[in-house]
Amino acid sequence: MARRLFWIVGAFVLLVNSAYLAAFASPSLFYFANVVLHMALGVVLAVVYGIALVRRRATLSPFVLAASVVTAAGVLFGVAIMFLGAAGRFRWLLPVHIAVTLAGLVPLLVYGAVVGLRRLPSRERIALAFGYVVLVLALVGAPAAAMKNGAAKQTQFRIVNPIEVPATMEGEGAGASSPFFPSSADTNVHGIIPANFFMTSDSCGRCHTDIYNQWQSSMHHFSSFNNQWYRKSIEYMQDVVGTKPSKWCAGCHDHAVFFNGRFDRPIKEQIETPEAQAGLACTSCHAITHVRSTMGQGDFQIEYPPLHDLSASNNPFLRFVHDELTYVDPQPHREIFLKPFHREQPAEFCASCHKVHLDVPVNGYRWFRGFNEYDNWQASGVSGEGARSFYYPARPQKCADCHMPLVKSSDPAAKNGMVRSHRFAAANTALPFVNHDREQLQAVQTFLRDGQISVDVFGLVRGQEPPKTAAAGVGASEPRLSSTFAVGEESMNFGAAQNYLAPPADVIGPLDKIDVAVRRGDSARLEVVVRTRKVGHFFPGGTVDAFDVWVELEAKDDKGRTILHSGAVADDGKGPVDPDAHFYRSLLLDEHGNIINKRNAWSARSVAYVRLIPPGAADTIHYRLNVPEDAGDRIHLTARVNYRKFAWWNTQWAFAGVRDPSRKPDVGRGYDDGKWLFTGDTSRVSGQIKAIPDIPTTVMAVARASLTVLPKDATLPAAKPLMDRSVRERWNDYGIGLLLQGDIKNAEATFLKVTGMDPGYADGWVNVARARIQEGNMAASEPVLRKALEIDPKLAKTHFFLGTALKALGQYDEALAHLRTASELYPRDRVVLNQLGRVLFLQRKFPEAVDAFKRVLAIDPEDLQAHYNLMLCAQGQGDAVSAARERALYTRFKADESSQAITGPYRQLHPEDNNERQPIHEHGPRMATDRSQPRTYTDRSQPRTYTDKHGQAKDRLSSTPGFQR
């Protein structure tokens, strides 16, 4: 009787224990006590049962014996888990253990129930029946509870934008009373937490060795004051505006010295502490438990992980117990450190720090967008959510697909021998260079050169540039977002705000496919096209006011003479870039017209120009080639796209920048008129190089072509452009670049050539229509869009642009039908939804329009068009309160057009930047010089003079050696 009771109680406890473990993977001591109980009780029962089987083997039925053998096999798999764990390459052991054990145990339980109900007395049969009812409930309830918990976690850990959009920065995050304000970052206790939470990444490295070693080289690790560029910018910021505004940066850069409350002290006082040198730890991402929105700004909540003290304990035995139990049952560990948003919403998760805005508490000025990797990705074809892109990848891509590729590993987290790389290779070559980390530098440069972009020396146009007539673009009447970054497909303002009308040029190309001749003494325009191919956001991305990214074009004849060299670099490639080069960057100015070149975004007041290439798009660059009278017989053209992070001036300043002691600093929150010298002490800078480093330039893409040179009085042979399907895409790229800079007639003519090469290419017809719509010629766009629909009735962009044209023509019902079709195909395209809502508004269907605009805000709470139209809808409905709120939000996010007045004096003093500001411009010839001598470049960090508030002219001339006027 006692033995039978032991069996019944033991088996009952083990089965209930198993059901609990299956249902609740809880990171608690109680849960892991049950894991230990499961192993111990399972082994004891298996041994006792085995002994009983051996003793009664002669009387056992074949059915019981077979089921027992299967159960024993399942137990052996469980024993294997006790020694090998159930992680990494052994993760298959756990499901096999469960499946095999149940395959043997369930038949035994059924057999036991049948026999027991036949042989046991009635009283014991009742007890047995009750036990089996509980057992069945446990077996059925465990997976049901697990599914319910999983669904609850999917909801709990989903990133959803707020219904009510904050009207001020004080309404963001945990509010102005938070110790972390103006960062939106917060903790689960809404207060400071110990710094050691972010100082224990080495404890993760005990098991995740491969991932830890990758992270050691990553920019996340070097995000803080172990990064000299960042260190200098924050030291400077705190010197000028104090420590509180600098928390805006710290929420995403400096967790170990931020969440413990020490960022109220100037960082210079604690720069050498381990916390200041820690960077972002494993827990900086993996201990985030909630992301409030996609508005960025560190809008997340972080929590001290359960059982983390065991993992990071100084007691070797406690660390051993933690590690062994994690290997045996890794699910609670996954539940803590890998939330659903890490796997299912990686872009929204990354947006919490890779998207920012500034406002009064930081800049003392107003709201404006800083860098933003999320919105232009989300609205593009790369995300699979944008309906209007020029090109789409084979399948949608998320952040991790590019920046965390699968790499081979034996790490416990590996699946099929692969883990997501935690190098986060992207574009930062500076940090691995100064850290002497060759492996990371190679990984970054390999990534940059891996076909992310392409360059094409595409075509030639003979003669001088014809005059163009400026005309307002169709998007010019739309309100523009206040932004220091480019605006992409997330806005109707995508492309040029102004159109330029001129007769279509005769373009000869592609130059590498046909023989094109020029004559000595001729002038011609060269057309170079840069295209984003594997870039999922704007190129370049990140803090684009601080990089040198430019196109270099060199023309040499067969005598070795340089005829044209745009984009040369002084000092044998170590110095500043030719200021006349074609740059990809944001050129910002402070309120006195000084360049924002110290990462002092909080002083930015105006944008001289922004040039970035959207994902799946192109940029067309124009160069003026004047053929010398004594040129050789051939001219060889080489175009390169060069990438140097960081910009030359910023690197000089970050490592050795000191104020000129002979001048009193003239600096305020919105300006810095001081003079800087690059003579500071570099012995204590962060990094392995204790000097101003010569950051390498990475050539991302190269293209070549050549021209035949004829005598001055020779007759030019007829040169017809090559136009067939083999070069269709190159012509299309060229047209896209023209369209985005507002060269409407040339773009339209190019796209018409594309349709001639491939009449079945629906995008060609759509692009013709885009040019016509941008010109405002809606009636002419309609037939070509209907032609595109005949080719591909489900092409969403066709429906969108046709709906846009029909809306302008007053055909609202049909416009709605097409816009709804586009929205059904791409329900998260905010521009489609805005257009849909606008048509409904024009039809005075205010509730339906409001619903459409609120769907936009669910995608982007800061969408300017949605707030503008919601204001109009509220006015139409007589809702003064809602109208006032939407008006305040619209005013908050709308650009301050008057700030462009700041750029006037600057552009007069810097004609090369004024040239770059123009949507359509040429880069003129730079004749050969003695390359053995360093070239003198203009210091464009500051205008020569400005007039202060008292009407006095102030001088800003720089005499810094090697960087002269």
Side-chain angles (χ1 to χ4, degrees):
M1 182 66 182
R3 184 179 299 173
R4 182 186 300 168
L5 184 62
F6 168 79
W7 269 108
I8 293 172
V9 173
F12 181 79
V13 169
L14 180 62
L15 291 169
V16 171
N17 162 271
S18 300
Y20 167 74
L21 294 178
F24 306 99
S26 169
S28 65
L29 290 175
F30 178 76
Y31 178 88
F32 279 107
N34 273 275
V35 172
V36 174
L37 174 64
H38 184 82
M39 292 186 293
L41 188 56
V43 169
V44 169
L45 287 175
V47 170
V48 173
Y49 182 69
I51 293 171
L53 281 179
V54 171
R55 289 177 176 174
R56 300 183 180 181
R57 61 184 179 279
T59 60
L60 290 176
S61 69
F63 176 83
V64 172
L65 186 59
S68 299
V69 169
V70 174
T71 304
V75 172
L76 290 175
F77 281 114
V79 172
I81 290 173
M82 294 170 60
F83 290 95
L84 300 175
R89 65 182 186 274
F90 298 117
R91 65 174 66 233
W92 59 273
L93 284 174
L94 182 60
V96 171
H97 162 65
I98 295 171
V100 174
T101 303
L102 287 176
L105 195 58
V106 170
L108 284 176
L109 291 172
V110 172
Y111 178 82
V114 172
V115 172
L117 291 173
R118 286 179 180 176
R119 298 180 181 179
L120 291 175
S122 59
R123 191 171 182 180
E124 292 185 16
R125 284 203 303 270
I126 295 173
L128 180 66
F130 176 77
Y132 268 86
V133 169
V134 173
L135 177 61
V136 170
L137 289 175
L139 291 174
V140 174
M147 291 176 64
K148 182 180 178 180
N149 289 337
K153 287 172 182 175
Q154 289 291 328
T155 301
Q156 178 185 354
F157 297 116
R158 184 150 190 86
I159 300 172
V160 178
N161 281 314
I163 297 174
E164 291 291 327
V165 182
T168 65
M169 195 174 228
E170 286 77 5
E172 297 169 358
S177 62
S178 167
F180 312 119
F181 183 80
S183 170
S184 294
D186 197 14
T187 65
N188 64 312
V189 296
H190 308 299
I192 62 173
I193 56 178
N196 63 349
F197 170 39
F198 302 102
M199 304 291 291
T200 55
S201 293
D202 57 338
S203 66
C204 303
R206 288 200 309 271
C207 298
H208 298 290
T209 306
D210 287 352
I211 290 175
Y212 175 74
N213 289 336
Q214 294 160 4
W215 165 84
Q216 282 273 55
S217 294
S218 74
M219 296 310 99
H220 282 189
H221 181 204
F222 291 98
S223 68
S224 191
F225 302 103
N226 49 7
N227 173 339
Q228 181 60 30
W229 285 269
Y230 177 75
R231 169 183 170 176
K232 180 76 170 187
S233 68
I234 298 301
E235 290 174 345
Y236 171 72
M237 183 179 188
Q238 292 185 346
D239 286 345
V240 176
V241 297
T243 58
K244 187 169 184 177
S246 68
K247 293 181 181 181
W248 172 74
C249 308
C252 284
H253 280 266
D254 314 298
H255 290 178
V257 74
F258 172 67
F259 283 116
N260 64 354
R262 281 171 45 179
F263 226 74
D264 290 311
R265 288 173 52 200
I267 198 62
K268 286 182 178 179
E269 299 176 7
Q270 46 188 329
I271 202 73
E272 302 295 341
T273 63
E275 292 86 352
Q277 299 293 315
L280 294 177
C282 303
T283 47
S284 293
C285 290
H286 289 284
I288 289 176
T289 57
H290 181 53
V291 178
R292 299 184 188 90
S293 72
T294 61
M295 291 187 290
Q297 213 72 358
D299 199 10
F300 59 78
Q301 185 171 291
I302 203 163
E303 176 182 312
Y304 199 95
L307 306 182
H308 185 70
D309 288 336
L310 281 179
S311 172
S313 173
N314 292 324
N315 187 311
F317 176 74
L318 292 179
R319 292 200 304 268
F320 172 80
V321 170
H322 171 274
D323 293 352
E324 290 304 308
L325 288 177
T326 300
Y327 268 105
V328 167
D329 190 349
Q331 189 58 33
H333 186 77
R334 294 192 194 105
E335 298 277 343
I336 297 172
F337 293 113
L338 200 62
K339 299 294 190 292
F341 51 63
H342 288 117
R343 298 186 300 267
E344 297 166 16
Q345 294 179 287
E348 287 72 16
F349 175 74
C350 295
S352 61
C353 279
H354 290 268
K355 176 182 175 181
V356 301
H357 59 265
L358 296 86
D359 209 336
V360 176
V362 179
N363 61 15
Y365 173 44
R366 57 159 299 158
W367 187 98
F368 62 74
R369 168 71 62 225
F371 86 95
N372 178 5
E373 311 292 26
Y374 175 74
D375 283 328
N376 54 94
W377 166 85
Q378 188 277 325
S380 76
V382 178
S383 69
E385 298 178 3
R388 298 156 294 110
S389 290
F390 294 108
Y391 294 110
Y392 289 79
R395 62 180 181 84
Q397 301 282 298
K398 297 181 180 179
C399 307
D401 293 320
C402 294
H403 298 296
M404 298 182 70
L406 291 170
V407 294
K408 291 182 179 179
S409 175
S410 58
D411 194 276
K415 289 185 177 180
N416 301 316
M418 308 288 279
V419 295
R420 291 281 179 187
S421 172
H422 283 61
R423 288 187 178 277
F424 305 105
N428 195 319
T429 54
L431 265 298
F433 181 79
V434 298
N435 291 335
H436 290 162
D437 190 338
R438 292 184 179 181
E439 190 174 358
Q440 180 73 8
L441 180 60
Q442 182 180 10
V444 173
Q445 290 188 314
T446 299
F447 176 81
L448 287 172
R449 294 167 178 151
D450 187 30
Q452 308 297 335
I453 60 168
S454 63
V455 63
D456 185 4
V457 183
F458 176 73
L460 179 141
V461 179
R462 301 191 189 280
Q464 296 293 332
E465 178 74 5
K468 289 182 170 63
T469 303
V474 83
S477 61
E478 301 284 346
R480 301 186 76 86
L481 185 76
S482 179
S483 178
T484 64
F485 205 68
V487 176
E489 291 174 276
E490 67 271 23
S491 170
M492 276 294 289
N493 288 319
F494 180 49
Q498 196 170 39
N499 295 328
Y500 298 86
L501 307 179
D506 292 324
V507 183
I508 306 170
L511 293 182
D512 62 337
K513 296 289 187 181
I514 57 177
D515 187 17
V516 180
V518 293
R519 293 176 297 200
R520 295 179 178 90
D522 278 0
S523 180
R525 192 180 78 217
L526 298 174
E527 305 287 74
V528 174
V529 180
V530 178
R531 156 97 179 268
T532 48
R533 293 189 175 273
K534 295 169 65 178
V535 181
H537 45 70
F538 274 115
F539 172 79
T543 51
V544 291
D545 58 306
F547 310 157
D548 283 333
V549 186
W550 74 102
V551 179
E552 179 183 4
L553 181 69
E554 189 171 14
K556 284 187 175 183
D557 66 12
D558 50 10
K559 298 177 182 179
R561 177 184 180 183
T562 298
I563 297 172
L564 169 67
H565 195 174
S566 173
V569 181
D571 194 16
D572 293 324
K574 299 176 182 178
V577 180
D578 171 10
D580 293 323
H582 189 82
F583 287 96
Y584 295 113
R585 64 174 176 178
S586 175
L587 182 61
L588 310 178
L589 304 177
D590 70 17
E591 64 185 49
H592 285 179
N594 303 303
I595 289 182
I596 299 297
N597 53 9
K598 298 176 282 296
R599 289 300 302 123
N600 50 325
W602 37 272
S603 293
R605 297 295 183 267
S606 189
V607 181
Y609 71 85
V610 179
R611 178 171 296 103
L612 307 173
I613 309 179
D619 179 40
T620 298
I621 313 155
H622 313 289
Y623 293 91
R624 177 57 50 184
L625 177 69
N626 293 329
V627 184
E629 300 281 355
D630 57 349
D633 294 330
R634 289 198 72 79
I635 296 176
H636 301 285
L637 307 171
T638 303
R640 301 178 184 88
V641 178
N642 298 323
Y643 199 111
R644 181 168 64 181
K645 184 170 181 175
F646 291 86
W648 181 88
W649 198 98
N650 185 255
T651 296
Q652 306 295 305
W653 175 81
F655 280 75
V658 291
R659 291 192 182 274
D660 186 345
S662 67
R663 296 190 181 187
K664 183 180 179 180
D666 190 359
V667 60
R669 188 168 195 154
Y671 65 93
D672 185 346
D673 299 328
K675 179 184 176 185
W676 292 88
L677 306 176
F678 305 144
T679 58
D681 179 19
T682 60
S683 63
R684 301 187 69 182
V685 297
S686 299
Q688 299 298 311
I689 296 177
K690 304 301 180 183
I692 301 176
D694 295 321
I695 302 303
T697 294
T698 302
V699 179
M700 293 186 64
V702 181
R704 293 179 173 87
S706 63
L707 304 172
T708 299
V709 181
L710 301 177
K712 183 175 181 178
D713 56 354
T715 300
L716 286 171
K720 293 184 178 180
L722 175 63
M723 292 188 291
D724 61 28
R725 290 191 181 188
S726 69
V727 293
R728 181 199 72 188
E729 188 172 299
R730 294 174 68 180
W731 281 97
N732 200 50
D733 293 345
Y734 175 63
I736 290 168
L738 296 173
L739 179 69
L740 294 182
Q741 59 192 219
D743 194 351
I744 300 304
K745 290 301 184 183
N746 276 297
E748 180 184 356
T750 302
F751 293 136
L752 285 170
K753 291 175 183 176
V754 170
T755 63
M757 297 176 220
D758 188 356
Y761 181 52
D763 284 74
W765 299 103
V766 173
N767 289 339
V768 171
R770 290 179 79 148
R772 293 175 180 176
I773 288 172
Q774 193 162 313
E775 185 185 359
N777 191 353
M778 303 298 179
S781 70
E782 184 181 350
V784 291
L785 287 167
R786 295 195 186 279
K787 173 71 174 177
L789 278 182
E790 291 175 8
I791 297 168
D792 186 353
K794 294 185 177 180
L795 192 61
K797 68 181 80 173
T798 312
H799 288 284
F800 169 77
F801 288 112
L802 183 53
T804 299
L806 292 169
K807 183 197 82 169
L809 295 170
Q811 300 175 36
Y812 294 154
D813 289 338
E814 190 179 357
L816 270 181
H818 286 289
L819 290 170
R820 281 176 170 145
T821 299
S823 184
E824 288 167 4
L825 292 167
Y826 289 89
R828 282 178 55 82
D829 188 305
R830 66 188 80 180
V831 175
V832 173
L833 288 169
N834 267 324
Q835 281 286 70
L836 184 64
R838 184 69 180 173
V839 176
L840 291 166
F841 166 78
L842 292 171
Q843 291 183 319
R844 304 188 65 81
K845 297 177 180 178
F846 297 129
E848 293 178 64
V850 167
D851 179 66
F853 296 131
K854 286 187 175 180
R855 286 171 63 193
V856 174
L857 296 183
I859 300 166
D860 177 16
E862 297 159 327
D863 188 274
L864 184 68
Q865 300 293 332
H867 287 298
Y868 174 72
N869 285 301
L870 281 169
M871 175 186 72
L872 297 181
C873 287
Q875 290 173 346
Q877 292 175 302
D879 185 348
V881 174
S882 295
R885 172 176 171 76
E886 294 301 332
R887 183 181 300 110
L889 290 166
Y890 167 69
T891 305
R892 183 189 184 202
F893 300 136
K894 183 180 180 295
D896 176 12
E897 289 88 354
S898 64
S899 69
Q900 280 298 298
I902 294 172
T903 71
Y906 175 85
R907 290 187 286 125
Q908 288 181 325
L909 291 168
H910 300 89
E912 67 282 349
D913 286 332
N914 186 53
N915 186 52
E916 277 291 274
R917 175 185 168 96
Q918 310 312 311
I920 306 173
H921 61 275
E922 286 187 358
H923 295 271
R926 182 176 294 278
M927 301 308 292
T929 59
D930 181 359
R931 302 305 298 279
S932 65
Q933 299 298 319
R935 183 174 295 177
T936 299
Y937 284 85
T938 301
D939 176 3
R940 298 181 303 146
S941 62
Q942 298 165 340
R944 291 179 176 85
T945 62
Y946 80 95
T947 303
D948 70 9
K949 62 184 178 182
H950 304 295
Q952 299 296 315
K954 292 194 173 182
D955 173 57
R956 293 196 186 109
L957 291 179
S958 170
S959 59
T960 304
F963 200 77
Q964 305 169 358
R965 293 201 185 280

